[in-house]
Amino acid sequence: MTNNRLGQPIVVGIDGSLPALHAAVWAADEGARRHVPVRLVHAIKVSAFAYTAGYTPPESFFAELDLDGRRYLAAAEAAVRRAHPDLEVTADLQHANPPWALIEQSATARLVVLGSRGLGGNSGMLVGSTAVALVAHGHCPVAVIRGRQPEEAPPTDGPVVVGVDGSPASEAAVALAFEEASLRRVDLVAAHTWTDYSSDIAYARASLLIVDWSWMENEQAEMLAERLAGWQEKYPDVTVRRVLARDRPVRHLLEQSSGAQLLVVGSRGRGGFTGMLLGSTSQALIHHAPCPLLVARPNIAHGSAR
């Protein structure tokens, strides 16, 4: 992923759910490809149980929470070792707010991996809000593991798809996508939309004002080619297919990734306000992508293709 993270582990959030087990195995596959260890993390926010209407639970209650956490970690570790017996794996039980525990872990991680859905409630950590918080505030790329159907294992065939819009986060996504496609020995689909209108009405009105669509399409095609050129030179083994569309980014990326094994996007693109930490496109894909989603951050150095 990044040159200064070569020896750092892949961190996986574990909460005892089936999607968390899928995430652990996916992370193990990634760790084996990259020859890096995997760290399994389960976090318990003990303070959430401390007082309920003035009642403090007995110590045995907290001991049971710890026992459950160790069981979740043991099950995940067993699944990882079945898939990759020689992979270095560690398990870490923490007493902390789950999102912030993983954000802290991300500072020394190569990648943080989450399941798409968790147990929810006080015992679950892998709900959508955790993924959104981690993508917005984490220090490394984040992968949200999704299958074609809820709780289904993630796909392992198909190309890697990357969303390209020319933003700094998009540049980081392109770097990651080329690397992933090369490691997996699959094709790369570079998808670009060249209208960001937020509603069909605005899109329809704007289309009336733009006469020469072919000129704009050619301009966007040139931009996409420029964004990819250096990376194609660096990864000559990767076959790239460029796809352009006058469409909203989310809809286009969902369509292109319907048969993919991985979708890569930036955490924030060209749209929105400059102070936003998470774009609407990446946030929507966290909840709806039909395959594992890998979100890159613009402040993470990925090296240069030039």
Side-chain angles (χ1 to χ4, degrees), residues 2 4-10 36-37 106-111:
T2 65
N4 60 342
R5 293 177 182 265
L6 291 178
Q8 294 177 322
I10 295 173
V36 297
S106 73
T108 57
R110 183 186 188 90
L111 170 69

Side-chain angles (χ1 to χ4, degrees), residues 249-271:
V250 171
R251 183 163 56 190
H252 184 56
L253 289 172
L254 288 175
E255 178 183 346
Q256 292 301 318
S257 61
S258 61
Q261 63 175 279
L262 181 66
L263 172 60
V264 187
V265 297
S267 58
R268 182 165 60 89
R270 293 173 301 159

Side-chain angles (χ1 to χ4, degrees), residues 29-159:
D29 292 342
E30 190 77 2
R33 274 191 288 266
R34 298 177 176 279
H35 307 288
V36 297
V38 169
R39 180 189 301 155
L40 308 172
V41 177
H42 176 75
I44 305 169
K45 187 180 179 182
V46 175
S47 61
F49 302 93
Y51 299 99
T52 303
Y55 171 74
T56 302
E59 287 296 322
S60 59
F61 176 78
F62 299 109
E64 189 66 27
L65 287 178
D66 281 3
L67 181 59
D68 285 344
R70 292 191 182 93
R71 287 170 179 162
Y72 300 156
L73 289 169
E77 183 173 350
V80 167
R81 294 194 184 281
R82 282 194 299 270
H84 297 282
D86 297 328
L87 187 67
E88 181 182 344
V89 186
T90 58
D92 186 10
L93 179 68
Q94 296 189 7
H95 294 152
N97 184 305
W100 294 109
L102 291 174
I103 289 171
E104 182 177 357
Q105 289 280 326
S106 73
T108 57
R110 183 186 188 90
L111 170 69
V112 176
V113 182
L114 301 171
S116 59
R117 298 171 58 191
L119 296 175
N122 290 323
S123 60
M125 64 185 294
L126 304 187
V127 292
S129 59
T130 299
V132 170
L134 187 58
V135 170
H137 301 290
H139 305 286
C140 69
V142 176
V144 180
I145 308 309
R146 303 183 59 86
R148 304 274 188 245
Q149 301 296 328
E151 300 202 353
E152 186 176 77
T156 56
D157 57 354

Side-chain angles (χ1 to χ4, degrees), residues 148 157-164 170 173-174 176-178 180-181 184 186-192 228 238-243 249-266 285 289-295:
R148 304 274 188 245
D157 57 354
V160 172
V161 176
V162 60
V164 185
S170 171
V174 170
L176 280 175
F178 266 96
E180 288 288 347
R184 296 162 185 263
V186 298
D187 293 351
L188 176 64
V189 177
H192 173 63
L228 299 175
V238 176
T239 299
V240 181
R241 180 165 61 91
R242 307 171 195 171
V243 181
V250 171
R251 183 163 56 190
H252 184 56
L253 289 172
L254 288 175
E255 178 183 346
Q256 292 301 318
S257 61
S258 61
Q261 63 175 279
L262 181 66
L263 172 60
V264 187
V265 297
L285 293 172
C291 65
L293 174 70
L294 178 56
V295 184

